[in-house]
């Protein structure tokens, strides 16, 4: 094992190309010299920002688990680091401990989320930290998972380990936002993606919609797709657009599952989604004749009954699909908004006026105006001549301060 220690030049986020991860989702023991130098980091905030950088770049690939980053420091030198890379594999703390080896004894670990203290698909990280001889644990946020939520911190303190909570918690809150929402709502985190004209139309009245936005915006959508666990659409969109709903980026290996709501079993065998089901995980929700169901399964589709929108997202979370992207027509979009199931909205807007009746939202909201819920604008960005707006719902219990616990 490589026990050589390193210092790091600054707490800037590591580039995605800087990560050293093998095919088994393990961090290698060789750190990238591009990100490392002889100028030491001095504060807890600096080291935690490095851990947050690792968590940030693992976001979107850990299923229903949070993307956590961890950094181990001894005598102000970096001796280990890691991130949780895939559900069912080692957590960030274990990767960092493996890299640190014997240097973990007497060291401090910086971790973006409270270490787990229960056995799930992997063992408790708290026990591993205690056994390795870690003497101080710095945590950005308390875990909202009821199996953890303060219990991990308590077990570390009972073992005589110093625990500090709340370092860089605002940044950590943003990175772990989707996980916290799913823990509170008990369902997948739902992201709505729409592309519209300046007057809020999804298409012309003749249903022509390709392409509303420019090529740069469409490439950005593929990056969004690559960050989620599943893409969900309705049978109407399949009929009109015959989409693939996959990620088409050079070098990309991660593909989200594709889910189609098809209540009456209308999907055609010849559609692209069905014909590529052996290549990309494809889930159809609806009622089918025995003969058609057998054909769909033979082509690689998973067939499940449709119940309701609310139960779909509880089911997807249990399937390990925490981040679900919606790419659908106005009927499904309207239903999701009416049921308050949209947690995040990514809106691409073209500076053109379409007119007509193909609006994003098709119901009429009752008065008074000030009682209509608002989305909170998180970020706006100009992509070519199109506008990208990122919005989120303010879910109760997600953003409240959870950094302090009573001893």
């Amino acid at each position: 094992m490589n026990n050589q220690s390193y210092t790091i030049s600054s707490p800037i986020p590591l580039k995605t190309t800087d990560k050293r991860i093998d095919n088994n989702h393990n961090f290698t023991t060789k750190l990238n010299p591009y990100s490392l130098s002889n100028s030491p980091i001095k504060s807890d905030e600096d080291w935690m920002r490095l851990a947050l950088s690792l968590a940030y770049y693992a976001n979107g690939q850990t299923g229903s688990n949070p993307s956590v980053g961890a950094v181990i420091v001894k005598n102000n030198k970096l001796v280990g680091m890691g991130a949780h890379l895939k559900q069912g594999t080692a957590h960030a703390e274990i990767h960092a401990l493996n890299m640190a080896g014997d240097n973990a004894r007497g060291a401090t670990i910086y971790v973006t989320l409270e270490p787990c203290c229960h056995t799930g698909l992997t063992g408790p990280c708290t026990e591993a930290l205690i056994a390795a001889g870690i003497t101080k644990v710095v945590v950005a946020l308390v875990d909202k998972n009821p199996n953890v939520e303060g219990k991990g911190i308590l077990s570390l303190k009972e073992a005589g380990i110093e625990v500090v909570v709340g370092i860089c918690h605002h940044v950590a809150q943003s990175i772990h936002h989707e996980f916290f929402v799913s823990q509170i709502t008990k369902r997948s985190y739902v992201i709505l993606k729409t592309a519209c004209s300046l007057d809020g139309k999804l298409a012309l009245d003749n249903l022509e919609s390709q392409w509303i936005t420019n090529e740069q915006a469409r490439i950005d959508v593929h990056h969004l797709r690559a960050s989620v666990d599943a893409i969900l659409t309705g049978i109407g969109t399949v009929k009109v657009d015959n989409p693939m709903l996959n990620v088409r980026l050079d070098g990309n290996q991660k593909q989200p599952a594709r889910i189609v709501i098809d209540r009456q079993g209308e999907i055609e065998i010849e559609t692209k989604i069905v014909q590529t089901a052996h290549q990309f995980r494809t889930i159809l929700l609806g009622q089918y004749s025995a003969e058609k169901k057998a054909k769909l399964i033979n082509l690689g589709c998973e067939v499940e009954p449709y119940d309701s929108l609310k139960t779909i997202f509880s089911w997807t979370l249990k399937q390990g699909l925490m981040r679900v992207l919606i790419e659908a027509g106005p009927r499904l979009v309207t239903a999701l908004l009416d049921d308050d199931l949209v947690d995040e909205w990514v809106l691409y807007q073209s500076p053109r006026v379409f007119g007509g009746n193909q609006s994003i939202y098709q119901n009429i909201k009752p008065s008074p105006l000030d009682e209509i819920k608002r989305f909170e604008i998180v970020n706006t960005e100009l992509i070519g001549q199109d506008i990208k707006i990122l919005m989120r719902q303010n879910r109760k219990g997600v953003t409240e301060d959870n950094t302090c616990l009573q001893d």
Side-chain angles (χ1 to χ4, degrees), residues 12-31:
I12 60 172
L14 300 175
K15 297 179 180 179
T16 52
T17 54
D18 291 337
K19 293 192 297 184
R20 293 295 182 264
I21 302 169
D22 64 24
N23 292 329
N24 294 317
H25 300 279
N26 295 308
F27 269 89
T28 62
T29 55
K30 184 178 180 180
L31 303 182

Side-chain angles (χ1 to χ4, degrees), residues 188 259 311-322 324:
S188 296
I259 305 173
T311 57
I312 283 175
F313 298 113
S314 298
W315 179 82
T316 52
L317 183 62
K318 292 175 182 177
Q319 291 284 306
L321 307 173
M322 185 175 75
V324 177

Side-chain angles (χ1 to χ4, degrees), residues 239-256:
K239 286 180 176 180
V240 173
D241 296 335
N242 193 19
M244 281 284 289
L245 295 183
N246 65 333
V247 179
R248 297 185 290 278
L249 294 171
D250 291 341
N252 182 74
Q253 296 180 351
K254 179 180 179 289
Q255 291 287 346

Side-chain angles (χ1 to χ4, degrees), residues 116-131:
C116 67
C117 54
H118 65 290
T119 299
L121 296 175
T122 60
C125 289
T126 51
E127 292 184 7
L129 294 173
I130 294 167

